[in-house]
Amino acid sequence: MGSTPVILATTNGSGMGHLARQSAIALALREKGHDPLLFSLSTALPLALSLTDQHGQALRGQYCRSYSTGWIPRPQWQHYYQRNLQQIVEQTGAQVVVFDGVVPYPGLLRARRALPQVKFCWCRRGMWQPGLRTWALRAVPFFDAVLEPGDFAAPADRGATASAAATRVAPISLASMVDQLPRQHAANALGLDPQRPTALVTLPFAAAEGIAAAVEQFVAAGWQVALTQGPIGGTTLPEHVVVLRGVFPLVRYLAAFDAAVAAAGYNAVHELLAAAVPTVLIPRTETRTDDQHARASWLGQQGYALHAQPDNPEAIREAIASLTDAQCREQLHQHCLELPSPTGSTQAAQQIVALAARPTLHRTTMSQRTLLAALSARDGLEASIGSGGIDVLRRLTGHRRRE
């Protein structure tokens, strides 16, 4: 079988999850001799392009400016996105476009209509918050296949994706595609003392209270702490606290850490727990779709992690106090070893190559054209009044949210 050119498209997202998953799939495709190219709205794309395959060759990619920068009105941006995607498909001769994101853009769907000979696949993460974004699933008929990356907490999925049709694979994570450094080498590379107990704190700026509580608790217990965010509120960091800047993929260095405090996003969970790092999960409340509360709660109830709410510093301190206990860490470590291996990138690559070989030609139906017009109108309206405004308008007009 010859090399299959594949475009792996990602949204910008609120974290590294979309880009990390597509990077893992790109490495898996490279292992099988195929030719992936990342097409991303994320400004973190250069970090992904620093990844190399088994032959030492770096991944390839192209950046596409996101609508979120506000440089042009969103309806015009959709046409810009469509043109850029079509051009990169034509330049590379790509046989498959794989989109990783929650909502397929109208520009993406227009490109799908204009490229009937190219296979389009939606890599759609599960664990949506119940009742949210259900309308996005109406875009499924535009795709030749839907892949759902597995989730350690899948039994807790109560959202629209729980029963949606998809080809489900194991969790997709760079943990299965990137070699981990031994503790000594990992610690030295990060400027850490490998002889000291070390905690990783990887929380967003919005969780400043949680970051402060975590640092305070670990430092009081005599640990050194590595932060993936800068100084809290511009304050001077205590001794034995370092900031990690531009470290990617972090999974390569996880052997340097005895414990972690992290948001309960897909990427963090399927790297830290896959590496059996004892972890306190703190769900992000500002995410628009990802049900981090359900993920953190279920993993906590099953004994794979500890969890605490972001607005409860005392609960965070209590969880960290438990985490500094060696017996607690050992229990969490052993439980995590029971989790399935995150080999979904290899399974996804197999599905994508098989999809490319299918002799099908997509035909856009009248109902799909009508749906595309409706999605484009909704996108324009959301750009004007926001998703919250759409919810208010729905209530005022008596339209109930579809579950």
Side-chain angles (χ1 to χ4, degrees), residues 96-141:
V96 184
V97 172
V98 182
F99 172 74
D100 190 308
V102 173
V103 178
Y105 307 119
L108 175 79
L109 302 183
R110 292 189 191 118
R112 190 308 75 98
R113 187 176 63 179
L115 298 166
Q117 76 285 4
V118 178
K119 312 300 190 304
F120 273 61
C121 174
W122 185 5
C123 186
R124 173 194 50 69
R125 173 186 48 72
M127 295 292 291
W128 291 12
Q129 296 180 40
L132 295 186
R133 301 292 185 105
T134 56
W135 56 270
L137 294 177
R138 295 166 62 196
V140 167

Side-chain angles (χ1 to χ4, degrees), residues 273-289:
L273 271 58
V277 178
T279 301
V280 173
L281 295 174
I282 302 177
R284 294 180 64 176
T285 56
E286 74 275 15
T287 56
R288 296 180 63 184
T289 308

